[in-house]
């Protein structure tokens, strides 16, 4: 089958997905940009492309139109809110070609009627929709998607081999900490861009007056708020919070494995793949209820209302008091929930979905 997939940037996990998907179909990928200014260049350094792809130029109408002239069995828009997708929608409609919208997630919370109208106009014009789960499907239906034509898939950035068989034991964690130079009894870990949307300022406000003995909080990532956050830490003499900067995939994996608890105080994430990653490493998680992955995969009692600082403090203190066995069991439950969320399964999901869409179209 011949497939065209349009998306924004060559994120490493998407490149891995496309490499595997290309083994199962005749795949062409259109990237809107080569990179994203908010991402460190190191993020892309290991990308290897084993599929046909093209990066659109600044003035893209002619080349986009040329690509959309070709006949494909399935056309997917993975970045449905961009200028490229908006133009592609009009081109495809003029050529009477059907297409699929793929959504990682989203929350239907529009402040303005016009915003909802625009979203509905573009979303409802597709013929089929790909969804990451119940929350995403509700989001799509809110903007006109037909329930009978919504397909779900396992959304992830992980290969099957990345998911642990069982959580790391506490003794092993201590060995890893000693190796990396973090000699604390309890370690909370988070990874994300240090930008307003990720909510680390909320965490810092909550933690500044909390004294947790022999406990450290590590945050991996960079962003335009990094200097401001460090000033806040220094000004408030917070001695157990460490901004450790950008870390590559191998380093992040070691940090997951040596840590006891993952925390994710985001103000808004349409999914939040770091939740998948933390679960795959057998970690208990405290996460904002504004990340769809957390809503989809975690028990409600571990979800955080980011506007409730007292609840955040209570959850941090509660998890800090849990013994090693209790943390291990929570991590084990998370592993059981995430065991099918790997890229190889995501590829299989897509192939089955494509085959069903093609079958439906042939029956019309």
């Amino acid at each position: 089958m011949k497939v065209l997939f349009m998306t924004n940037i060559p994120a490493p996990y998407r490149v891995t997905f496309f490499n595997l998907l290309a083994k199962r179909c005749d795949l062409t990928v259109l990237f809107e940009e080569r990179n994203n200014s908010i991402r460190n260049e190191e993020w892309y350094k290991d990308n290897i492309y084993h599929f046909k792809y093209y990066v659109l130029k600044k003035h893209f109408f002619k080349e986009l139109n040329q690509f959309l002239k070709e006949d494909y069995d399935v056309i997917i828009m993975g970045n449905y809110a961009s200028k490229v997708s908006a133009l592609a929608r009009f081109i495809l409609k003029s050529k009477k070609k059907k297409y699929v919208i793929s959504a990682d997630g989203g929350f239907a919370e529009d402040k303005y009627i016009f915003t909802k109208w625009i979203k509905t106009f573009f979303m409802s014009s597709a013929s089929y929709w790909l969804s990451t789960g119940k929350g995403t499907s509700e989001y799509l239906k809110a903007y006109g998607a037909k329930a009978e034509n919504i397909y779900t898939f396992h959304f992830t950035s992980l290969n099957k081999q990345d998911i642990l068989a069982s959580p790391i034991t506490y003794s092993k964690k201590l060995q890893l900490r000693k190796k990396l130079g973090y000699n604390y009894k309890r370690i909370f870990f988070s990874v994300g861009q240090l930008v307003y949307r990720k909510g680390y300022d909320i965490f810092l406000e909550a933690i500044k007056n909390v004294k947790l003995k022999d406990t450290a909080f590590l945050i991996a990532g960079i962003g335009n708020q990094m200097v401001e956050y460090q000033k806040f830490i220094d000004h408030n003499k917070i001695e157990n919070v460490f901004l450790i900067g950008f870390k590559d995939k191998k380093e992040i994996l070691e940090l997951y494995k040596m840590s006891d608890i993952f925390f994710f105080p985001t103000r808004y994430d349409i999914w939040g793949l770091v939740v998948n990653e933390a679960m795959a490493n057998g970690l208990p998680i405290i996460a904002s209820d504004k990340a769809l992955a957390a809503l989809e995969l975690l028990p409600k009692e571990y979800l955080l209302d980011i506007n409730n600082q007292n609840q955040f403090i209570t959850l941090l203190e509660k998890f800090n008091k849990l013994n090693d066995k209790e943390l291990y069991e929570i991590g084990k439950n998370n592993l059981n929930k995430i065991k099918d969320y790997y890229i190889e399964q995501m590829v299989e999901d897509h192939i089955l979905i494509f085959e069903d869409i093609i079958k439906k179209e042939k029956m019309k």
Side-chain angles (χ1 to χ4, degrees), residues 72-333:
Y72 301 95
D73 295 301
V74 184
I75 298 172
I76 306 103
M77 288 186 191
N79 186 24
Y80 49 87
S82 69
K83 291 179 182 178
V84 173
S85 293
L87 182 57
R89 182 238 180 239
F90 286 110
I91 293 172
L92 290 168
K93 285 295 180 182
S94 70
K95 297 179 185 296
K96 296 182 179 179
K97 291 186 176 183
K98 295 183 178 182
Y99 62 92
V100 182
I101 282 178
S102 180
D104 296 347
F107 295 87
E109 299 174 348
D110 301 302
K111 293 181 180 179
Y112 306 104
I113 294 174
F114 180 71
T115 305
K116 184 173 183 178
W117 183 86
I118 287 289
K119 286 183 180 180
T120 302
F121 177 73
F122 284 104
M123 288 274 203
S124 63
S125 63
S127 298
Y128 302 94
W129 297 263
L130 303 185
S131 162
T132 52
K134 185 188 296 184
T136 306
S137 296
E138 290 304 314
Y139 170 76
L140 290 169
K141 286 189 285 185
Y143 298 111
K146 297 175 183 176
E148 65 271 22
N149 286 340
I150 296 175
Y151 295 87
T152 58
F153 65 95
H154 294 85
F155 183 44
T156 185
S157 58
L158 303 163
N159 289 103
K160 189 172 184 179
Q161 65 186 25
D162 297 327
I163 302 174
L164 297 181
S166 58
I168 303 294
T169 62
Y170 187 65
S171 59
K172 179 65 175 176
K173 288 179 185 289
L174 290 179
Q175 290 176 25
L176 286 168
R177 286 176 202 176
K178 186 175 181 180
K179 172 189 168 185
L180 297 173
Y182 295 104
N183 297 310
Y184 292 87
K185 180 182 178 182
R186 188 71 73 226
I187 291 182
F188 288 73
F189 176 55
S190 190
V191 56
Q193 299 166 27
L194 299 188
V195 296
Y196 177 80
R197 180 171 65 86
K198 294 294 183 178
Y200 289 115
D201 57 314
I202 297 171
F203 159 71
L204 291 173
E205 280 289 347
I207 204 68
K208 70 179 182 181
N209 295 318
V210 179
K211 304 299 180 184
L212 298 176
K213 187 179 179 181
D214 206 12
T215 299
F217 296 85
L218 309 181
I219 304 173
I222 58 174
N224 59 20
Q225 300 291 306
M226 189 170 186
V227 173
E228 181 180 330
Y229 293 164
Q230 189 59 59
K231 285 181 179 177
F232 185 94
I233 291 167
D234 295 340
H235 177 75
N236 289 280
K237 298 179 180 179
I238 305 173
E239 297 179 350
N240 62 340
V241 175
F242 304 94
L243 308 182
I244 59 177
F246 174 82
K247 301 295 177 183
D248 63 25
K249 184 176 179 180
K250 182 180 177 182
E251 292 170 317
I252 290 293
L253 187 59
E254 286 189 313
L255 288 162
Y256 275 126
K257 288 182 176 179
M258 76 163 196
S259 299
D260 299 297
I261 300 125
F262 187 79
F263 66 103
F264 189 51
T266 184
R267 284 186 168 89
Y268 182 82
D269 261 80
I270 60 172
W271 182 257
L273 284 167
V274 291
V275 173
N276 294 55
E277 293 172 8
M279 292 178 76
N281 282 282
L283 290 182
I285 300 168
I286 299 170
S288 162
D289 60 7
K290 293 301 181 182
L292 206 54
L295 287 170
E296 196 85 22
L297 299 169
L298 298 177
K300 287 184 178 180
E301 61 263 34
Y302 303 152
L303 298 181
L304 168 70
D305 177 356
I306 57 168
N307 297 311
N308 188 337
Q309 191 178 110
N310 289 333
Q311 184 202 17
F312 200 172
I313 293 169
T314 299
L315 280 172
L316 291 172
E317 291 178 333
K318 175 183 176 180
F319 272 77
N320 197 57
K321 290 176 182 177
L322 294 176
N323 62 43
D324 305 330
K325 185 178 179 181
E326 289 170 323
L327 291 173
Y328 185 93
E329 288 302 315
I330 295 171
K332 187 177 177 181
N333 288 335

